[in-house]
């Protein structure tokens, strides 16, 4: 079929023997040798050597450059983020919506993992390549609730067993105590947001997390999260994290850590102060430098656009020479 297509697009004067020859090509005659693992690659120094019949290695040029250029570009970009973040911060690739098409998105997930990222939000990449998948609550989920009456189901059994408890009522009682501690009016906490958190907690009591900035972090998101997390703790469960997606991420992370530690100390919940804090929102290399300079309390960073599109160098100019 390939030879027939070439006949249709090449000049009609092309010798039939050429097409007969194409049908005999054998890629097994080609050997590809990479530089030894751990070697340093310099500019204008080959890192792949391809040997075989001239026409075959010429046909491989475009394929090999396509496979090498984007893969190396994304993996290198990911490695730069990893080096800036340090070994202890978790990095999540979340560039699917900004990538150059679905193929580019899957490739970016794969090569950012090779470059040092810990996980991806792209579940298809997780299925195909075995990359760990992670995610957080979406703003759209939080905004889909408007009142506590919408929470169904409301009851959750204690982790150790026993009769189910109305988690909504328990969270409301904890909200009053948290707001008293933080000296913020309970009426400022958005009820739809609290309903979303409770609904999520009833469904995923062992994996509860909160997105804090849908409305107001200080007056709503943080008190609502603490209330639900403390209600879960009363039933034997432990929240796994919070996320910020706007504003001064480094400064807010420090403020959130102070509140979490205050709640943990006041309510005698030792693990509360070390709840992981995740951030996202157009994170760049400069962002990571600022986080480190300001001494943030960030534990996990979700990076999308500036990872998968490589804006600082959108192409890697590898070439193929005979």
């Amino acid at each position: 079929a390939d030879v027939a297509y070439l006949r249709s697009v090449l000049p009609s004067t092309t010798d039939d023997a050429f097409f007969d020859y194409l049908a005999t090509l054998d890629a097994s005659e080609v050997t590809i040798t990479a530089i030894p693992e751990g070697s340093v690659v310099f500019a204008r120094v080959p890192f792949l050597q391809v040997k075989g019949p001239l026409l075959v290695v010429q046909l491989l040029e475009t394929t090999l450059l396509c496979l090498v250029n984007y893969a190396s570009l994304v993996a290198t970009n990911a490695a730069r983020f990893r080096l800036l973040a340090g070994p202890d911060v978790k990095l999540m690739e979340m560039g699917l919506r900004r990538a150059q098409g679905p193929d580019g998105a899957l490739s970016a997930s794969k090569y950012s993992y090779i470059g040092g990222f810990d996980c991806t939000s792209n579940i298809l990449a997780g299925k195909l390549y075995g990359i760990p998948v992670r995610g957080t609550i979406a703003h759209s989920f939080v905004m889909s609730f408007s009142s506590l009456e919408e929470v169904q189901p409301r009851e959750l059994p204690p982790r150790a067993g026993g009769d189910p408890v109305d988690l909504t009522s328990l969270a409301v009682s904890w909200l009053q105590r948290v707001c008293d501690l933080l000296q913020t009016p309970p009426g400022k906490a958005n009820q739809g947001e609290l309903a979303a958190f409770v609904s999520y907690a009833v469904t995923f009591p062992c994996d509860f997390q909160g997105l804090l900035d849908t409305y107001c972090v200080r007056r709503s998101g943080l008190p609502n999260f603490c209330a639900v997390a403390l209600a879960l703790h009363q039933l034997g469960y432990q929240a796994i994290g919070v996320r910020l997606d706007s504003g001064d991420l480094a400064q807010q992370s420090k403020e959130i850590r102070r509140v979490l530690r205050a709640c943990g100390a006041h309510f005698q919940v030792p693990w509360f102060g070390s709840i992981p804090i995740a951030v996202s929102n157009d994170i760049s290399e400069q962002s990571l430098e600022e986080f480190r300079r300001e001494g943030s309390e960030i534990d996990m960073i979700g990076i999308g656009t500036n990872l998968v599109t490589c804006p600082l160098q959108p192409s890697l100019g590898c070439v193929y020479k005979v």
Side-chain angles (χ1 to χ4, degrees), residues 106-317:
L106 283 169
S107 296
S109 297
K110 178 197 296 184
Y111 299 123
S112 62
Y113 184 58
I114 290 173
F117 272 56
D118 297 284
C119 51
T120 179
S121 64
N122 186 341
I123 297 178
L124 182 57
K127 176 186 177 184
L128 294 176
Y129 309 129
I131 302 171
V133 292
R134 297 290 184 274
T136 64
I137 291 181
H139 287 109
S140 58
F141 175 80
V142 175
M143 297 178 72
S144 68
F145 290 82
S146 59
S147 72
L148 291 170
E149 284 69 33
E150 296 170 346
V151 179
Q152 293 293 337
R154 303 165 65 94
E155 293 186 334
L156 178 69
R159 190 168 190 178
D163 295 332
V165 175
D166 188 324
L167 188 64
T168 304
S169 300
L170 192 59
V172 170
S173 67
W174 272 107
L175 180 61
Q176 181 64 57
R177 298 170 67 181
V178 169
C179 288
D180 289 344
L181 174 64
L182 302 182
Q183 297 182 331
T184 183
K188 295 292 185 180
N190 186 282
Q191 292 294 289
E193 182 180 60
L194 180 60
F197 287 175
V198 172
S199 183
Y200 192 96
V202 169
T203 307
F204 302 110
C206 296
D207 298 279
F208 173 62
Q209 53 186 299
L211 175 57
L212 304 185
D213 66 330
T214 305
Y215 300 106
C216 174
V217 175
R218 176 69 182 181
R219 291 185 297 177
S220 184
L222 191 50
N224 278 334
F225 168 79
C226 290
V228 177
L230 289 166
L232 281 174
H233 170 73
Q234 187 174 332
L235 300 180
Y237 302 96
Q238 185 168 324
I240 65 169
V242 298
R243 177 167 75 100
L244 288 169
D245 192 46
S246 61
D248 187 332
L249 300 175
Q251 183 60 35
Q252 288 187 99
S253 74
K254 291 187 281 188
E255 295 172 359
I256 290 168
R257 182 67 69 206
R258 283 196 292 268
V259 169
L260 294 176
R261 286 172 177 160
C263 285
H266 184 78
F267 299 116
Q268 299 182 344
V269 183
W271 57 266
F272 212 81
S274 59
I275 290 175
I277 299 173
V279 299
S280 55
N281 187 27
D282 208 24
I283 303 293
S284 64
E285 290 185 34
Q286 182 180 358
S287 304
L288 268 62
E289 291 172 342
E290 292 172 356
F291 295 162
R292 185 167 56 184
R293 186 168 56 248
E294 296 179 29
S296 77
E297 290 285 344
I298 294 168
D299 302 291
M300 184 173 187
I301 303 172
I303 306 176
T305 304
N306 289 298
L307 172 64
V308 304
T309 63
C310 304
L312 295 180
Q313 182 178 327
S315 63
L316 187 73

Side-chain angles (χ1 to χ4, degrees), residues 19-32:
F19 298 108
D20 295 337
Y21 171 63
L22 289 181
T24 69
L25 295 183
D26 185 359
S28 67
E29 300 178 43
V30 176
T31 59
I32 301 177

